[in-house]
Amino acid sequence: MSITRSVHSPSPPPTTSLGRVAEIFAGLATRVAADGARPPNAIRIIGLADLADGQVQPPGAASAWADLLPEMMARHALQPGDVLLAARGSQPKAAWVPEAVLPAVASANLLVVRPRPGTRPGVVFAYLASEQGLAMVRALSRSATDQLSITARDLATLDVPAPPRAAQDTIHDLIEASER
């Protein structure tokens, strides 16, 4: 390769494993109100059906609710900027968690990706919701059928872009603005 070509060829963006830039954990397996009613002091359980177009949909008639012990909430309560990812189902899906849908927890068929300090949540979401990111997630599936079966441990090994902080700020701000 000539020196001229190497100077003008852009280098690939740096990458890192998702587990280095985010905490990843499974949603909560819990019993929900059988009739779809909202019990007093209940917390919303966000499931696959609540994810559409990269967003967690507002609560509706089909929303699931459950009474949870405080210690369960302490570990599983979603935070603004968390990214939800389908761990099971027929299609990979990713969604951004806005403050407007909280308090809530993720159901057991979702993985929660919580960016660590120093990583802007919008960057993680932008990659995981992209065609390339969703294809890479699907490739992690352990299922022999066409159904997804992804563990938090497997997802932690996924290589993700690691842009410099200025680029992270720009990407995150764009994602946040689109959620308003």
Side-chain angles (χ1 to χ4, degrees):
M1 177 189 321
S2 73
I3 292 176
T4 304
R5 180 171 164 90
S6 66
V7 169
H8 295 313
S9 297
S11 59
T15 62
T16 190
S17 69
L18 185 58
R20 292 194 69 187
V21 297
E23 176 186 5
I24 304 162
F25 56 94
L28 185 63
T30 186
R31 292 180 188 243
V32 299
D35 60 0
R38 182 178 180 177
N41 304 317
I43 298 297
R44 182 175 176 204
I45 310 298
I46 296 173
L48 277 173
D50 297 308
L51 310 185
D53 301 321
Q55 299 178 341
V56 175
Q57 300 303 300
S63 292
W65 303 88
D67 282 320
L68 299 178
L69 298 172
E71 57 269 16
M72 293 173 94
M73 279 301 295
R75 168 70 176 124
H76 291 279
L78 294 174
Q79 298 176 8
D82 282 349
V83 178
L84 301 179
L85 193 68
R88 295 179 194 82
S90 59
Q91 295 294 322
K93 290 183 179 182
W96 170 271
V97 177
E99 194 162 349
V101 302
L102 302 176
V105 298
S107 70
N109 58 0
L110 297 173
L111 294 173
V112 179
V113 180
R114 179 167 296 152
R116 298 184 193 283
T119 301
R120 299 300 304 265
V123 173
V124 174
F125 169 72
Y127 180 71
L128 291 176
S130 71
E131 279 187 41
Q132 179 183 3
L134 290 172
M136 297 302 289
V137 166
R138 179 174 277 294
L140 292 173
S141 183
R142 294 173 171 257
S143 176
T145 68
D146 200 25
Q147 297 291 305
L148 292 175
S149 180
I150 301 166
T151 67
R153 181 175 292 184
D154 290 338
L155 188 59
T157 66
L158 182 70
D159 280 339
V160 296
R165 183 60 187 218
Q168 286 191 43
D169 290 343
T170 300
I171 294 165
H172 178 81
D173 292 347
L174 288 169
I175 296 295
E176 245 186 4
S178 73
E179 296 300 314
R180 290 185 194 130

